[in-house]
Amino acid sequence: MISSIIFIIVLVVAIVFFAWNVRIIAKNIKLGKDLDINDNKSIRWKTMFLIAIGQGKMIKRPLAGILHIMVYVGFIIVNVEMLEILIDGVVGTHRALSFVGEDIYNAFASTFEIFALAVITACITFLFRRNIVRVKRFHNKEMTSWPRLDGNIILITEVLLMSAFLAMNAADSILMERGVLGEHIVGPFVISQALIPWFSGFSDGTLHFIEQFGWWFHIVGVFAFLNYIPYSKHFHVFLAFPNTWYSKLEAKAKMSNMPEVTKEVQIMLGTLEDDGSGMEDDMPSFGAKDIKDLSWKNIMDSYTCTECGRCTAVCPANITGKSLSPRGIVMAVRDRTAELGKGIAKSGKDFNDGKSLLGDYIKPEEIWACTTCNACVEECPVNINQVDIILSLRRFMVMEESAGPAPINNMLTNIENNGAPWQYSMADRGNWADDVYMNKK
Ligand code: SF4
Ligand code: SF4
């Protein structure tokens, strides 16, 4: 009875706290500008199934891809076991689902254990790759101590949760075999039975402690992990699905028009009547300097980033030693959003800390190093559009501050004055034909 009450309290606290944190992230995403993405629903569903559920891009790097799929599928399947744990915890039963019969129950529990072992194997391999082999993309400059620790915390937690699950099953199987828990109910199961020789010398009391410790450690660990996720890059386990649904479906290199500019041009051409909006104090701003100038999709992208570094690993600017890292850009958006969101929650919507994404988090030299090749977008396993953020920041620099690099500013001035990117007057544009004409003569 007491343990059921404690369990229900822990369950309710975990759910409420998680919902609270998700609400904060949802609010932060809404700091971005409106963007209507609702077209081509069937293609969007297909993209989500292929990329998020089917892990379509992960497999491009076969070893990491297969290991990730082992963790992804394993974690989902093992957590079906949570259903029984929840029933046992709330009602106070022991293996509530064993009513399905010993054979069926053993088959399911053994399947869960095989996936638990797969998760442990994959996580240990990932830890080895990150910390011993030190794969380069996990050690770029934006991977400071916190992102590196975050990755290790996630992997170690998954190993511990799965190990607790196996230890619990092994101890429980022996207790059931000894008839301590009444008649023999179910088990042993295919993986945890390998632990039975190690545990079989233990007394009933010790085994009961291991079983209870494993049970509580597993369930409280899952609740704690659930509440850690919103503070971690692991939030991608939830956002990968909507983020891929809202993917850019057009050609990757297609730049979107800016509605403010389109409107100005339409008014100039006389295809749109000037309603006076966009003038004086209603003046539109161009591009993005800070989070509120980006779209909500840019911000959702940042919360979906898995920090895998696949984008940075293929970025020609980064490879050739420039300071640009597309992962760094996305992480900067998330960090600044969290900072701004916190400030707004505390001081109201007019909160101003004198900082901005451009300048304080991302330096101009980073965004101007981009070749807009879109290799990062192509590579991203959760369809993040890094280039869209970079272009928005560039647009701000050029259109609001005339602060683009000198060659670009010169080219724009030439286009404005001469109608061409070159530095000679319109009257001289046909001069090249004179030579051709003279030679013919
Ligand atoms: S588009 Fe820019 S950021 Fe992305 S890979 Fe190419 S150069 Fe790097
Ligand atoms: S933006 Fe995409 S590819 Fe780059 S680190 Fe994040 S998830 Fe990985």
Side-chain angles (χ1 to χ4, degrees):
M1 181 66 179
I2 290 175
S3 78
S4 290
I5 292 170
I6 294 172
F7 180 84
I8 292 168
I9 292 171
V10 171
L11 175 67
V12 171
V13 169
I15 292 172
V16 169
F17 197 57
F18 177 69
W20 175 263
N21 278 316
V22 169
R23 196 173 142 261
I24 290 174
I25 292 180
K27 267 176 136 179
N28 285 353
I29 290 174
K30 284 185 193 155
L31 288 175
K33 281 184 176 171
D34 272 354
L35 186 66
D36 187 21
I37 310 176
N38 254 316
D39 56 331
N40 296 309
K41 289 201 173 73
S42 59
I43 301 178
R44 294 190 176 284
W45 285 114
K46 194 172 153 200
T47 307
M48 190 185 87
F49 274 102
L50 283 176
I51 307 294
I53 298 174
Q55 304 269 294
K57 284 186 169 180
M58 287 304 299
I59 213 72
K60 278 187 184 173
R61 289 174 188 249
L63 175 63
I66 290 167
L67 290 171
H68 188 269
I69 289 170
M70 278 163 67
V71 177
Y72 166 73
V73 177
F75 208 74
I76 292 173
I77 291 185
V78 174
N79 279 314
V80 174
E81 165 76 11
M82 286 288 293
L83 177 67
E84 184 179 47
I85 292 182
L86 287 175
I87 296 171
D88 283 348
V90 173
V91 184
T93 48
H94 174 252
R95 298 207 177 256
L97 300 184
S98 57
F99 70 85
V100 296
E102 186 171 351
D103 290 344
I104 297 176
Y105 189 93
N106 283 358
F108 271 106
S110 294
T111 308
F112 295 150
E113 287 197 347
I114 290 168
F115 278 103
L117 185 65
V119 172
I120 292 173
T121 310
C123 288
I124 289 174
T125 313
F126 279 140
L127 283 166
F128 186 75
R129 276 162 53 86
R130 279 175 178 256
N131 301 294
I132 310 291
V133 179
R134 293 179 70 84
V135 173
K136 187 172 173 289
R137 65 192 159 100
F138 297 121
H139 296 274
N140 295 88
K141 73 171 170 32
E142 68 275 12
M143 295 302 282
T144 51
S145 51
W146 163 244
R148 286 211 300 267
L149 179 65
D150 183 30
N152 285 331
I153 288 174
I154 292 163
L155 294 169
I156 291 168
T157 305
E158 291 187 3
V159 170
L160 291 178
L161 290 178
M162 295 301 143
S163 302
F165 172 64
L166 294 178
M168 174 192 82
N169 276 355
D172 204 20
S173 296
I174 302 171
L175 288 171
M176 286 189 278
E177 190 62 44
R178 288 182 188 173
V180 177
L181 299 171
E183 70 210 78
H184 173 70
I185 311 175
V186 286
F189 313 117
V190 69
I191 303 295
S192 61
Q193 69 180 351
L195 298 174
I196 288 178
W198 295 4
F199 287 9
S200 55
F202 294 153
S203 67
D204 292 350
T206 307
L207 287 172
H208 197 66
F209 174 78
I210 294 173
E211 189 269 334
Q212 280 296 299
F213 182 81
W215 192 90
W216 278 100
F217 184 88
H218 184 74
I219 189 68
V220 174
V222 168
F223 290 157
F225 192 45
L226 183 71
N227 279 290
Y228 172 73
I229 285 175
Y231 299 97
S232 151
K233 61 136 179 164
H234 214 51
F235 203 65
H236 76 266
V237 296
F238 299 111
L239 281 186
F241 304 99
N243 204 62
T244 46
W245 197 90
Y246 289 112
S247 298
K248 178 177 177 178
L249 299 181
E250 298 154 313
K252 287 185 182 61
K254 185 177 176 201
M255 286 170 69
S256 54
N257 283 334
M258 299 171 73
E260 305 85 358
V261 176
T262 307
K263 186 178 169 193
E264 292 297 311
V265 172
Q266 285 172 332
I267 292 170
M268 259 168 51
L269 294 173
T271 55
L272 187 74
E273 203 172 320
D274 189 357
D275 59 2
S277 67
M279 300 300 287
E280 292 153 11
D281 51 343
D282 198 17
M283 206 62 183
S285 69
F286 302 109
K289 183 182 183 190
D290 208 354
I291 295 304
K292 288 183 180 176
D293 306 320
L294 292 170
S295 72
W296 62 263
K297 175 64 171 64
N298 295 141
I299 302 175
M300 185 192 265
D301 273 352
S302 75
Y303 277 105
T304 311
C305 179
T306 70
E307 293 174 10
C308 67
R310 289 174 178 227
C311 53
T312 297
V314 297
C315 172
N318 189 275
I319 291 167
T320 51
K322 315 284 188 308
S323 58
L324 169 64
S325 162
R327 170 176 56 187
I329 299 284
V330 175
M331 288 169 73
V333 171
R334 185 182 55 203
D335 291 348
R336 174 61 183 155
T337 305
E339 182 181 59
L340 196 62
K342 235 184 239 168
I344 291 172
K346 207 169 155 198
S347 314
K349 64 178 173 41
D350 295 325
F351 168 76
N352 183 356
D353 57 1
K355 290 199 214 166
S356 62
L357 178 67
L358 182 61
D360 291 299
Y361 283 79
I362 298 173
K363 301 288 174 220
E365 59 267 27
E366 294 176 54
I367 57 173
W368 291 110
C370 178
T371 64
T372 63
C373 65
N374 276 278
C376 49
V377 181
E378 172 66 29
E379 199 68 14
C380 181
V382 283
N383 277 6
I384 286 169
N385 193 330
Q386 302 88 337
V387 181
D388 199 49
I389 299 168
I390 292 172
L391 290 181
S392 297
L393 298 171
R394 281 183 176 183
R395 281 171 162 171
F396 177 84
M397 286 191 72
V398 171
M399 300 180 77
E400 293 285 336
E401 301 197 318
S402 300
I408 291 178
N409 275 347
N410 291 343
M411 180 194 72
L412 293 172
T413 308
N414 289 334
I415 290 174
E416 206 172 318
N417 295 336
N418 307 329
W422 300 284
Q423 202 170 11
Y424 46 73
S425 79
M426 274 196 207
D428 295 333
R429 285 176 68 179
N431 287 358
W432 64 274
D434 290 346
D435 288 346
V436 177
Y437 179 68
M438 294 298 286
N439 287 341
K440 273 195 177 167
K441 266 190 166 179

